Amino acid sequence: DVQMTQSPSSLSASVGDRVTITCRASQDISYHLAWFQQKPGKAPKSLIYSASSLQGGVPSRFSGSGSGTDFTLTINSLQPEDFATYYCQQYTTYPLTFGGGTKVEIK
Amino acid sequence: EVQVVESGGGLVQPGGSLRLSCAASGFTFSSYWMHWVRQAPGKGLVWVSRINNDGTDTRYADSVRGRFTISRDNAKNTLYLQMSSLRVEDTALYYCVRDAAPSRLDYWGQGDLVTVSS
């Protein structure tokens, strides 16, 4: 199985900050990487697919980069509605696997 | 508007069975692969199973293979997950998820809670 390792597991940030979350795959997954946002009590929401493509309707302050084994999700100018847990997920091979999540909290 | 709505969850004893359903609307259901993903209380996301658009190909996580069966009825726009020999560790919120491209997850339902307890 492809192991997905996210870091950090949690972070505290202020509104307006730039936030970076990293995701590392245990083997080459090319660009088959997605990012999801999950708020408490809600279903995950797709943010980014193919490592860097923004899902329709997602604000442009969200961006993704990387390929192979190392990936990054960046949130520019963090907004109050961005406080949530973020997950990366690989879809190059089965079983599909997720990172452990990064909880973004208010400082 | 794309919608997937899960139902059928509840409390079941260890060793018991349950069938989840997922009603889809707002898109051509028969054209899309579909998945089940689960989330234990306070934990992360875990992929469970996938079915292709016509139901002829299925995949399972090792933890559920042989106990769970994914299926679909394209005439009813409905996805199913038949769960048997349930274990306490199967307790989770089960999400029905649409596949936008081979294995790329996009739209998620709100989830349905399955609790396995005596």
Side-chain angles (χ1 to χ4, degrees):
Chain A
D1 298 3
V2 179
Q3 306 301 317
M4 305 300 293
T5 304
Q6 275 181 249
S7 60
S9 56
S10 66
L11 64 90
S12 295
S14 301
V15 172
D17 284 353
R18 181 182 184 185
V19 167
T20 299
I21 299 168
T22 64
C23 180
R24 175 165 288 178
S26 61
Q27 65 189 65
D28 188 339
I29 61 169
S30 184
Y31 57 89
H32 299 129
L33 190 281
W35 290 96
F36 299 92
Q37 176 194 64
Q38 187 177 33
K39 296 180 180 178
K42 299 293 186 182
K45 172 188 173 184
S46 176
L47 296 177
I48 286 170
Y49 62 94
S50 298
S52 61
S53 296
L54 209 60
Q55 185 77 26
V58 174
S60 59
R61 62 181 179 272
F62 290 92
S63 65
S65 64
S67 67
T69 61
D70 293 305
F71 302 86
T72 299
L73 173 69
T74 299
I75 311 172
N76 283 304
S77 189
L78 196 69
Q79 296 300 299
E81 60 268 30
D82 300 337
F83 292 95
T85 299
Y86 294 85
Y87 294 93
C88 63
Q89 178 245 328
Q90 68 79 20
Y91 53 97
T92 199
T93 187
Y94 283 89
L96 306 184
T97 48
F98 293 86
T102 297
K103 188 174 184 179
V104 177
E105 299 175 301
I106 302 172
K107 182 183 285 185
Chain B
E1 179 192 4
V2 173
Q3 276 199 313
V4 288
V5 180
E6 305 91 340
S7 61
L11 176 63
V12 61
Q13 291 188 337
S17 299
L18 207 58
R19 188 179 80 160
L20 300 181
S21 298
C22 169
S25 60
F27 63 101
T28 305
F29 180 70
S30 59
S31 297
Y32 288 83
W33 295 9
M34 298 292 295
H35 300 253
W36 290 99
V37 175
R38 69 185 182 184
Q39 186 171 34
K43 302 296 184 182
L45 301 168
V46 178
W47 174 81
V48 173
S49 184
R50 179 229 84 193
I51 189 167
N52 70 344
N53 62 306
D54 63 5
T56 58
D57 183 64
T58 58
R59 303 294 295 268
Y60 297 94
D62 286 346
S63 59
V64 306
R65 186 176 294 112
R67 301 188 298 122
F68 290 12
T69 301
I70 190 172
S71 63
R72 64 192 297 160
D73 185 335
N74 285 342
K76 295 182 178 179
N77 289 343
T78 303
L79 175 73
Y80 302 102
L81 186 67
Q82 178 68 47
M83 304 181 291
S84 61
S85 302
L86 282 161
R87 306 167 179 168
V88 171
E89 55 266 33
D90 294 319
T91 294
L93 193 60
Y94 284 74
Y95 292 104
C96 167
V97 190
R98 192 181 77 165
D99 187 315
S103 304
R104 177 169 77 81
L105 310 178
D106 65 351
Y107 284 96
W108 298 61
Q110 286 305 301
D112 199 11
L113 183 62
V114 172
T115 303
V116 185
S117 175
S118 55

